Amino acid sequence: MKNIFKINLKSRTMFAVALVSLLFYNCSDYLDVNTDPNNPTTAPLDQLLTDTERNFNLITEFRVYMAEELSAYVHQFTFREEQDQYGTRQDNTDIQNSWDVAYSVITEADIIIEQGTAEEEMIIVGMAKVLKGYTATIIADIWGDAPYSEASKLATGIVSPVFDDQTAIYENALALIDEGLANINSGQGSNPGTQDLFYDGSISKWNKFVNTLKLKLYNEIRLSTMFDAGKLNALIASDNFMASSADDFEFPYSTTQSPAEERNPLFRTSYLSGQTSHYASPWFYEILKGWNPNIHNGVEDPRIPYYFFNQLTPGQLPPDVGDPTTGDPKADYWDRNTGFHTIRFGSVGPNRDFASRESSTYPGIYPAGGRYDDGEGGDADVDAGTGAAPHRMLTYHESLFIMAELIQANVISGDARTVLEDAMNAAFAKVDEVVANSATTQTVPKLVGTTAVDDFIDGILAEFDAASEAKKMEIIMTQKWVSTFGDPFDQYNDYRRTGYPVLADPNGPSPEYQLDNGDAWPLNDSETTLTRPYQVSLFWPQAELNVNENAPAQKDATTYKIFWDN
C-alpha cells in the first residue's frame, strides 16, 4: 500500500515544534480556570437593553410590585390587606420589590452606558440613559431622598451608598434624559430593532416618547423652584410629542404562557388565584355611574363594562354569602341592578371579610385582559379572559390630559376645554384598541362613534362650561384618573400635586356612598372608618435601612413630602 504520509526530516522537525507549541498553548488555556468561553463576562448590548426594559416595566406593576398599594391609595381598588386605610408598612414586600427592581434598572443601565460608550454604540446608550433617568424620577417621586450617585458602585467597593437629596436626583435625571435623546439621535452605532421591547428601535417614536416624558416631568415639578418655564416653552415650541396611540409607551403583554408567562400581572393575580384580593373601588364605581353628588353627577361612563367584570347577573344574590331565604345579600357593597359586588375602603362592617370568590367583581378587559361584562355573569377563572392587555405607562391620551392641566393652570397657552375633549376621545379610542388586540373570543362592541360616548363627552363638557376655575381643574384631573385606570403610579403623583381627584373619606361630613338598593339592607356609613393619615410618600424599605450604614432614620410617610408636592 502506498504511504501517502511521506515526511522528510525537515518536515518532521517543524511538525514537532508546532505540536509542542500547540500543547503549551492548550495547557496554558486549560489552566486558566477563571476564563469560561461558554460564559462571557460581557453580554450583547441589545440583549442587556431588553432585560433593562423588562425590569423597568415591573417597577410600577401589579401582582408583587407597588401598584398593589398605590391602586388603593388612589381608590381604584380596595383591599383587605394593609394598604386599606393607607396602612402600608416599612417592611412591605411589594414596595421592597419595586425598590429592588428599580436599582436593577440603574445597575444594568450603567453597564450599558459604560460598555456601549466604549463600543461607540450610542443609540443603545441613549436609550439606557433615558430609562435610567426615568427610573431616577420614579424613585424620587415615591421615596424622596434615595441612593443614586453611588447606587451601582459595588464594584468600586461602595456597599453603603449615600442617600442623595431628591432634588439633586431629579436634576441629574432631567439632564441624563436630555443626554440620552441626543445619543439616540446621534446615528452612531447599531439599532436594537426588535430587542427594544417598547418601540422596535424606532428613533422617531423614541423622540416623541422622550419629549412627552419631559412634558410629564416638567408638569410634575411646575409648583417647585426647580421648574424652568423657558425649558417648557422651548419643548412646547418643538411640538414633537406623541401624536397617536401608536406612540404609546407601554409594555406589551400577550396570551403566551410557555416557555415564559407573558400575561398581564393584574390578570394573573386576579383570575388565576384561589381567592380574589383586588376589589373594585365602590368610590370609583359610583363616580363612573354618575352618582357622586359633587363630580360628574348624572353622567354615566360607558366604559364600566370594559373596566370591570361582574360575576353576578343583575338581581342575583352573591351565592357564597347571600341568604336566599331572607334576601340579605350579606355584602359589604352590592349593586342589585348590575351585580357589582365588592368591599368598601376602610370598612369595619360585618360583611367585609366573607369569602367572595364566586361573586366579587373583577378587573375587566381593559386594565387586565380580563372579561368584558356583557351582563350575563360567569366565573372569573382562567378561561374568563386572555391576559393580553398592555401595561400603559405613558400614553397619547395621557399627554393630552397633561396639556389640559398645564393650560388650565395658566402655565402654557391654549384652550383647556378643546384639549380635554381631545383627551377624552383619545381615551375611548384606546379602550377599543386594547380590546381589539386582546385576542378575546367575546363579541365586544366598540365605543368610539356610539351615542353613549358622545352623550358622555357632551355631559362632561357641559359640566366643565358651568364650573369655576378650580372645578375645571378637578374635572380635568378626574377624567385623567378615570381614563388612566390601571396606572396608579401617575395617579398618585397627580393627587399629591393637585389634590384631585377627590378621594373617599369615611370620616367626611356627608354620606360617603350613594347606593340605594331599596331593600332592607342599606349601606351604613358608620361601618367605614379612617384611622390613619394619607401617606404622602412611601416608607423606605426597612431592609435597606438595616444594611446601609449611610441610610437615614426611617421617615414618617404621612408628613415626608416630595419636593414638588403642593
Side-chain angles (χ1 to χ4, degrees), residues 158-176:
I158 297 177
V159 296
S160 291
V162 297
F163 274 56
D164 293 316
D165 181 80
Q166 54 185 291
T167 57
I169 295 173
Y170 237 83
E171 288 172 345
N172 182 279
L174 290 171
L176 191 63

Side-chain angles (χ1 to χ4, degrees), residues 83-104:
Q83 57 265 48
D84 185 45
Q85 297 194 56
Y86 315 127
T88 301
R89 297 191 294 264
Q90 297 95 322
D91 60 352
N92 183 280
T93 301
D94 299 331
I95 305 304
Q96 177 74 60
N97 289 342
S98 284
W99 173 278
D100 290 344
V101 77
Y103 284 102
S104 292

